[in-house]
Amino acid sequence: MPEGHALHRLARRQQRLLGGQRLNVSSPQGRFAHEAALLNGMVFRRAEAWGKHLIHRYDNGGASERGRGTAVTRRIVHIHLGIYGAFREESLPMPEPTGQVRMRLIGDEIGIDLRGPNACEIYTPEDLERLVGRLGPDPLRGDADPEVAWQAIKKSKRAIGSLLMDQKVLAGVGNIYRAEVLFRAGVEPHRTGVTITREEFDEMWSDLLHLMPIGVRRGHIHVVRPEDDNGAPAYAVDRPRTYVYRRAGEPCRLCSTPVLTEVMEGRNLFWCPSCQS
DNA sequence: GCTAAATGTTGAT
DNA sequence: TCAACCTTTAGCT
């Protein structure tokens, strides 16, 4: 599930479920065992997301109250779910792990298992600085500066469909938001960055500011306007959520032209050749 | 019940 | 350009 909205949603939820608690940390699978041993018994302080990256912050809790001489130990965990990675919450007592559980966190009232992540590792503050330094603005973070993305796009000869997926240009946008934002802005995905007007960029940026928080709230990407539902009743559970993503060959929801598909940046891109030019 | 593909990134070749 | 990650789901049968 992980485009940026999913990671921000996870960060909020984990902060709420585990924040301030002393955790039991383990790695039933073993691949994170050494690191888990270092974290075990520490206090989970914060969870936050930068683009598709999730950061957990721990400290050893209460050391500062004991006066000088007691060093506060802090640790940072960096998690990237990749395509397969997923968290699962379990009520206590935790069931025996099924499958490959890379990291198991047990708090006061709930446990969380992490499976199949692309990355799960301990970070130094410098590692985190380096990560954040190479990410473009994240529309879900209040401090995001769209100028950084615009400067990268306006002088690039790469396709806008590639640029939107590039985490150095925009952090948190993935294959679904790429296709849908281009559709909603009427921009043909093969156009190079230099051909994108400031107005088009502004439209896509503000659309991301609008759409991604909806993704965070709902837990999935939903970008189809009610008036484009083709009469689907408001109570329908399976209302269409995307205009073009994964709709190759199907009629465009606006003009009925068959949706096209092609691999761009190693991922399947979808667009309407009539609505996007 | 089985197979293929999937919202992503890194590091080796 | 490709393997790794190794779960989940959609779409068949």
Side-chain angles (χ1 to χ4, degrees):
Chain A
M1 297 143 230
E3 288 194 33
H5 69 291
L7 277 299
H8 281 266
R9 183 181 170 91
L10 273 172
R12 288 184 197 181
R13 183 158 178 86
Q14 295 176 347
Q15 175 79 48
R16 189 158 44 102
L17 292 174
L18 300 178
Q21 296 173 29
R22 209 171 274 281
L23 301 190
N24 179 295
V25 183
S26 62
S27 177
Q29 173 204 49
R31 286 191 53 185
F32 191 63
H34 173 67
E35 296 87 338
L38 293 174
L39 298 165
N40 190 35
M42 294 186 79
V43 177
F44 186 99
R45 290 296 178 195
R46 287 187 71 191
E48 56 185 321
W50 271 275
K52 300 166 188 167
H53 300 260
L54 180 65
I55 297 295
H56 287 172
R57 293 177 189 274
Y58 294 82
D59 66 34
N60 54 351
S64 56
E65 293 161 20
R66 295 187 197 149
R68 61 192 74 174
T70 313
V72 177
T73 304
R74 298 180 208 281
R75 295 199 199 278
I76 301 169
V77 177
H78 168 244
I79 295 157
H80 194 292
L81 295 177
I83 270 186
Y84 308 116
F87 285 96
R88 187 185 294 172
E89 296 166 10
E90 306 278 5
S91 52
L92 303 184
M94 295 283 280
E96 281 301 299
T98 52
Q100 302 285 309
V101 175
R102 182 79 62 90
M103 179 174 73
R104 169 168 277 194
L105 305 178
I106 304 177
D108 298 339
E109 285 162 7
I110 199 166
I112 297 180
D113 278 345
L114 170 63
R115 294 157 212 273
N118 184 301
C120 176
E121 57 199 339
I122 290 192
Y123 254 20
T124 64
E126 293 73 34
D127 290 331
L128 180 57
E129 224 170 287
R130 212 171 305 132
L131 168 70
V132 173
R134 71 176 157 81
L135 291 176
D138 176 350
L140 285 171
R141 293 187 65 95
D143 56 0
D145 179 8
E147 286 310 310
V148 176
W150 171 239
Q151 291 304 319
I153 289 170
K154 76 171 193 182
K155 58 188 174 207
S156 174
K157 289 184 177 165
R158 293 167 60 203
I160 186 65
S162 296
L163 290 164
L164 289 185
M165 293 277 282
D166 187 338
Q167 301 298 297
K168 293 191 289 295
V169 177
L170 281 169
V173 174
N175 200 26
I176 302 179
Y177 283 124
R178 148 172 93 167
E180 298 298 318
V181 164
L182 286 170
F183 177 87
R184 288 168 53 106
V187 173
E188 210 283 335
H190 298 87
R191 285 175 50 195
T192 57
V194 292
T195 73
I196 302 298
T197 65
R198 179 70 205 218
E199 288 67 32
E200 286 171 326
F201 171 76
D202 286 344
E203 186 180 346
M204 291 191 280
W205 176 262
S206 62
D207 209 21
L208 287 169
L209 291 184
H210 166 63
L211 295 174
M212 294 184 77
I214 293 175
V216 175
R217 283 199 297 277
R218 298 196 186 184
H220 57 246
I221 297 173
H222 188 142
V223 307
V224 176
R225 303 174 183 92
E227 62 266 34
D228 298 333
D229 267 7
N230 244 351
Y235 53 79
V237 194
D238 55 348
R239 295 175 73 164
R241 295 175 182 174
T242 60
Y243 285 99
V244 288
Y245 176 71
R246 289 247 241 168
R247 296 193 65 242
E250 292 176 52
C252 172
R253 297 194 194 285
L254 299 189
C255 75
S256 297
T257 303
V259 171
L260 297 182
T261 186
E262 154 193 320
V263 174
M264 184 186 281
E265 288 297 302
R267 318 297 303 282
N268 292 322
L269 169 68
F270 305 86
W271 78 101
C272 170
S274 171
C275 292
Q276 297 171 254
S277 55

